[in-house]
Amino acid sequence: MRCFLIAANPADFEIHLFHEGTFYKSYQLFGAHMIHENGVMGTRFCVWAPHAQEVRVVGSFNDWNGANHKLTKISDQGVWMLFVPENLEGHLYKYEIVTRNGQVLLKADPYAFYSEVRPNTASIIYNLAGYEWNDRAWQRKKKQKSVYHQPLFIYEVHLGSWKKKEDGRFYTYEELADELIPYVLEHGFTHIELLPVVEHPYDRSWGYQGTGYYSATSRYGTPHDFMAFIDRCHQAGIGVIFDWVPGHFCKDEHGLYMFDGEPTYEYTNMQDRENPVWGTANFDLGKPEVRSFLISNALFWMEYFHIDGFRVDAVANMLYWPNSDALHKNPYAISFLQKLNETVFAHDPTILMIAEDSTDWPKVTAPTYEGGIGFNYKWNMGWMNDILTYMKANPNERKSLHHKVTFSLLYAYSENFILPFSHDEVVHGKKSLLNKMPGDYWQKFAQLRLLYGYLATHPGKKLLFMGGEFGQFDEWKDLEQLDWMLFDFDMHQKMNAYVKALLKFYKRQKSLYELDHSRDGFEWIDVNNAEQSIFSFVRKGKTDSDLLVVICNFTDAVYHNYKVGVPLLTKYKEALNSDDERFGGSGQVNKKEIAAVAEPFHGKPYHISLTIPPFGITILRPMRKRGERSKHAEKEVRRHAARRGKR
């Protein structure tokens, strides 16, 4: 059991660090905590309200009358505190704030650990201690392997609409653990990425407009229930990534907005503060107390909930000042993000810090000591937009868009990239991935299989939004569950079988992930065949034995005896073909071994001839001779023995 000790009274240095912007465990000071003071078990309330004239706590324990529960101002810069000599765990509460102009506001606690189920908005006094974690094996495993050289294929999930009960109610965290974890394991995903689960008032914001940054949403259960969900993910070998929004927040009246009647968490200047399109307010990232609040929040989810990573939303909206036609850099945001990344990596070097950044800002994933922003991954939005533009085009017109496929390899190693097919691409009239594909019913499925194959073989880690794994035909309907009835249809079953086979194959092939971030891991064979819209390339691992030849055909033409240059004079075996009949394809596969010929082609010393399927991806693996295979196996045995000897 993890035990978090809260001192009865805050130390002066904690208050100083908070106002300095460097108190990164501010959640142990602020909020409502059960503590012992002078031998008495009680509840301590602490809140930052720098412009308030008076602060009272009201709740179910005092009939919502704060006359006898006034907080004392213990800091000239607006920290207020009250100790109530009662254990108030489970009670509802809010802060009653009297502004400088005499207005009375009722505000939820910014540091509340638990909140009422919407539409109610009160905070709930909750003790986070006491959960028994059982994920030591997972934590140990994370420290032993570098994520950069491991497979990473993320399943992006919105918990409220992945699956619902017959009466429309949400599944609980416990029920989701029972259903979602086996499903993710069966498909072979390595991580789950959760759309924001901080408390938020409006279902259709999907959590991106939060009010309770320290509250796991009560829609699905208690904070301990959410801990148990993550714990069970870890026990199953699945990492959990938290979609996190440190740039802007919800403007509902009970939340952070104008917390004490004046700009507190947000910028003072209206042009910098407001996001008219989203209806949110931007955090003032230059304000020290806001930095303490946000960086503490990241550490909070890591420490209390064992989160494995953060996908940081709307980074572009932070790096550049909003509401400006010109791209003016925001120095406060830059330094905030750098300090955030430095702090979380100091706390846990294995953490995933993923920037959702749509700009070409340099060195987003470079260390801060090299002048970078300090993330270790960035979504490759350019690749995603280019490849979807290419796929949505009529196949006969793709020859004029050839550069949309090749361009990504010019910058693929400028950052550590994740290739995302996320929720943003299958909502608001954009159509599902399947329905983006042109052509008839069969052609749509064939091209989606091809697209997924290209995703799996392109350098970079991977992300797929829920429903894509079985070919959801309609775009994401955020108020309904996924269209699970599609599993009654043969082509959707076969699409799902293909995704499972593809992920299984991906995780077994070191050449598809070991050198994702190195030019040594990729080599074009034929990059210039725009006329036929066929691309071929080699993916490589750290050793010469880890090598794959990949051929993608983005038209419906079938080719027999098609020549492709190869790097090795050996026999090749077809390891995966998206046109296999078991996946819903037409069966244009290469069943027999394919022998390389000692004749140059495509700039390679040898070549092979094979069948190229329509709208298909073909992946070939060189076959080792028996002696070479034994030598390799012997080398692996020696390597593992040496590793055991070092322990």
Side-chain angles (χ1 to χ4, degrees):
M1 179 181 77
R2 296 169 69 96
C3 182
F4 302 92
L5 299 176
I6 306 296
N9 295 301
D12 290 342
F13 80 89
E14 292 177 323
I15 301 294
H16 171 78
L17 292 176
F18 174 71
H19 292 307
E20 186 182 69
T22 58
F23 188 30
Y24 301 143
K25 293 197 175 183
S26 58
Y27 48 84
Q28 294 184 358
L29 170 59
F30 293 93
H33 294 274
M34 276 66 71
I35 61 172
H36 282 89
E37 185 172 307
N38 299 324
V40 176
M41 179 65 172
T43 307
R44 190 190 70 197
F45 297 91
C46 187
V47 67
W48 176 56
H51 311 107
Q53 182 174 267
E54 186 175 298
V55 180
R56 303 182 283 262
V57 63
V58 298
S60 56
F61 57 90
N62 63 10
D63 294 326
W64 301 92
N65 184 339
N68 296 322
H69 291 91
K70 296 180 181 180
L71 280 70
T72 301
K73 193 174 184 179
I74 64 170
S75 157
D76 291 340
Q77 292 135 299
V79 175
W80 301 75
M81 184 172 290
L82 170 70
F83 178 77
V84 178
E86 300 176 58
N87 184 342
L88 300 177
E89 184 174 1
H91 278 282
L92 307 180
Y93 73 106
K94 282 188 178 182
Y95 291 116
E96 191 174 60
I97 297 175
V98 181
T99 69
R100 285 201 282 212
N101 64 11
Q103 183 184 6
V104 178
L105 306 175
L106 276 178
K107 291 287 188 175
D109 188 347
Y111 285 86
F113 297 146
Y114 191 32
S115 305
E116 278 192 291
V117 178
R118 56 61 179 130
N120 297 322
T121 57
S123 302
I124 301 174
I125 299 169
Y126 191 89
N127 187 356
L128 289 175
Y131 181 78
E132 296 279 355
W133 284 89
N134 295 286
D135 65 346
R136 288 182 182 176
W138 169 261
Q139 300 297 345
R140 186 166 55 249
K141 177 185 173 185
K142 277 205 308 179
K143 294 175 182 177
Q144 292 172 346
K145 296 183 178 181
S146 168
V147 66
Y148 306 109
H149 309 301
Q150 296 299 315
L152 181 63
F153 210 126
I154 302 165
Y155 187 56
E156 188 187 32
V157 179
H158 178 247
L159 292 179
S161 60
W162 181 73
K163 187 175 284 189
K164 287 190 174 183
K165 298 180 181 178
E166 289 187 6
D167 60 4
R169 287 183 299 128
F170 295 130
Y171 275 67
T172 65
Y173 290 120
E174 182 180 5
E175 291 165 337
L176 284 163
D178 291 338
E179 296 271 343
L180 179 58
I181 293 173
Y183 185 83
V184 169
L185 274 179
E186 177 188 353
H187 284 76
F189 293 99
T190 63
H191 290 67
I192 298 172
E193 182 173 304
L194 303 175
L195 268 63
V197 293
V198 300
E199 197 55 80
H200 53 284
Y202 184 46
D203 287 355
R204 304 206 72 180
S205 78
W206 315 328
Y208 288 99
Q209 297 183 13
T211 50
Y213 271 67
Y214 288 80
S215 291
T217 180
S218 53
R219 285 168 172 77
Y220 318 119
T222 69
H224 281 170
D225 293 336
F226 187 43
M227 291 178 191
F229 171 83
I230 296 170
D231 197 4
R232 288 179 60 183
C233 286
H234 287 172
Q235 292 172 49
I238 300 167
V240 181
I241 300 168
F242 192 91
D243 205 333
W244 189 54
V245 191
H248 61 111
F249 58 88
C250 179
K251 290 172 61 177
D252 284 40
E253 62 180 4
H254 69 283
L256 299 176
Y257 190 68
M258 298 292 182
F259 186 73
D260 55 12
E262 300 176 41
T264 304
Y265 288 87
E266 59 274 79
Y267 290 108
T268 301
N269 185 311
M270 181 178 291
Q271 181 170 331
D272 301 331
R273 180 176 69 234
E274 300 295 326
N275 285 311
V277 174
W278 297 333
T280 57
N282 293 310
F283 279 109
D284 183 345
L285 298 175
K287 193 172 291 181
E289 295 85 357
V290 173
R291 288 182 172 225
S292 289
F293 174 82
L294 288 172
I295 296 177
S296 291
N297 189 241
L299 294 186
F300 169 81
W301 291 109
M302 293 164 64
E303 187 172 3
Y304 279 73
F305 290 84
H306 294 199
I307 289 292
D308 300 294
F310 297 91
R311 178 267 196 185
V312 180
D313 181 63
V315 169
N317 197 59
M318 290 187 275
L319 290 174
Y320 295 102
W321 286 107
N323 307 319
S324 174
D325 293 334
L327 292 177
H328 294 302
K329 297 178 181 179
N330 182 341
Y332 304 121
I334 296 167
S335 61
F336 162 74
L337 290 171
Q338 289 173 327
K339 181 55 66 176
L340 165 71
N341 287 317
E342 289 171 356
T343 305
V344 297
F345 283 119
H347 186 82
D348 181 0
T350 71
I351 200 76
L352 290 165
M353 292 299 290
I354 305 165
E356 188 261 326
D357 175 29
S358 56
T359 74
D360 59 356
W361 190 287
K363 294 187 174 183
V364 171
T365 59
T368 58
Y369 58 77
E370 293 182 0
I373 301 298
F375 290 95
N376 58 357
Y377 277 99
K378 172 181 173 174
W379 274 19
N380 195 336
M381 311 286 277
W383 173 86
M384 178 271 299
N385 282 312
D386 282 348
I387 194 62
L388 290 182
T389 297
Y390 183 82
M391 295 301 299
K392 286 186 288 186
N394 186 299
N396 294 326
E397 299 171 356
R398 286 176 180 163
K399 64 183 70 176
S400 65
L401 297 172
H402 196 75
H403 62 285
K404 292 290 185 182
V405 179
T406 61
F407 181 62
S408 62
L409 271 302
L410 297 179
Y411 64 86
Y413 308 106
S414 62
E415 305 277 5
N416 297 333
F417 282 120
I418 289 176
L419 311 178
F421 288 143
S422 76
H423 65 281
D424 278 331
E425 306 316 311
V426 294
V427 74
H428 297 324
K430 294 181 181 179
K431 299 182 179 180
S432 68
L433 290 179
L434 178 64
N435 209 14
K436 290 181 197 291
M437 304 298 107
D440 60 28
Y441 184 76
W442 184 90
Q443 290 174 333
K444 285 180 179 291
F445 280 94
Q447 290 174 90
L448 186 60
R449 293 193 303 271
L450 168 59
L451 177 62
Y452 287 165
Y454 184 61
L455 166 71
T457 55
H458 189 288
K461 308 307 181 185
K462 332 291 178 184
L463 177 142
L464 181 65
F465 184 57
M466 64 183 196
E469 72 278 8
F470 58 83
Q472 174 99 2
F473 202 90
D474 289 341
E475 68 178 19
W476 177 36
K477 303 180 286 290
D478 56 3
L479 294 180
E480 303 174 24
Q481 67 174 353
L482 295 179
D483 292 335
W484 298 107
M485 73 287 190
L486 291 177
F487 274 97
D488 293 337
F489 297 88
D490 183 61
M491 286 297 283
H492 292 276
Q493 291 178 21
K494 290 179 175 178
M495 172 61 73
N496 191 238
Y498 172 71
V499 170
K500 290 178 184 177
L502 182 64
L503 265 68
K504 184 177 181 180
F505 178 77
Y506 162 75
K507 292 197 297 184
R508 286 183 171 180
Q509 304 302 317
K510 292 182 179 180
S511 56
L512 294 181
Y513 58 77
E514 268 194 338
L515 297 178
D516 266 329
H517 314 305
S518 168
R519 295 183 185 278
D520 294 336
F522 179 93
E523 181 182 337
W524 284 113
I525 295 175
D526 184 9
V527 68
N528 298 313
N529 191 353
E531 189 62 33
Q532 293 176 303
S533 297
I534 293 179
F535 300 82
S536 52
F537 53 89
V538 177
R539 286 302 310 271
K540 307 173 188 176
K542 291 182 179 180
T543 66
D544 293 340
S545 61
D546 296 317
L547 180 150
L548 294 173
V549 172
V550 182
I551 306 120
C552 299
N553 176 16
F554 288 95
T555 72
D556 61 354
V558 180
Y559 300 95
H560 300 289
N561 299 314
Y562 187 92
K563 290 173 66 174
V564 177
V566 290
L568 301 176
L569 184 62
T570 186
K571 291 181 179 179
Y572 290 79
K573 183 177 182 180
E574 188 172 80
L576 190 71
N577 187 325
S578 64
D579 198 48
D580 194 309
E581 290 180 348
R582 63 194 172 108
F583 303 141
S586 63
Q588 297 294 329
V589 299
N590 297 276
K591 294 181 179 180
K592 296 181 180 180
E593 298 170 356
I594 305 167
V597 177
E599 180 181 304
F601 198 70
H602 285 151
K604 299 294 182 284
Y606 318 108
H607 76 266
I608 56 174
S609 297
L610 73 162
T611 294
I612 302 295
F615 291 132
I617 182 170
T618 304
I619 305 176
L620 306 174
R621 183 169 51 222
M623 299 179 66
R624 301 188 197 96
K625 295 176 182 178
R626 187 168 299 172
E628 292 174 333
R629 193 179 299 118
S630 300
K631 182 184 288 188
H632 177 72
E634 185 178 325
K635 183 178 177 182
E636 288 293 297
V637 169
R638 286 200 304 271
R639 185 172 67 86
H640 288 295
R643 284 183 59 187
R644 285 196 298 271
K646 290 179 181 179
R647 291 173 184 167

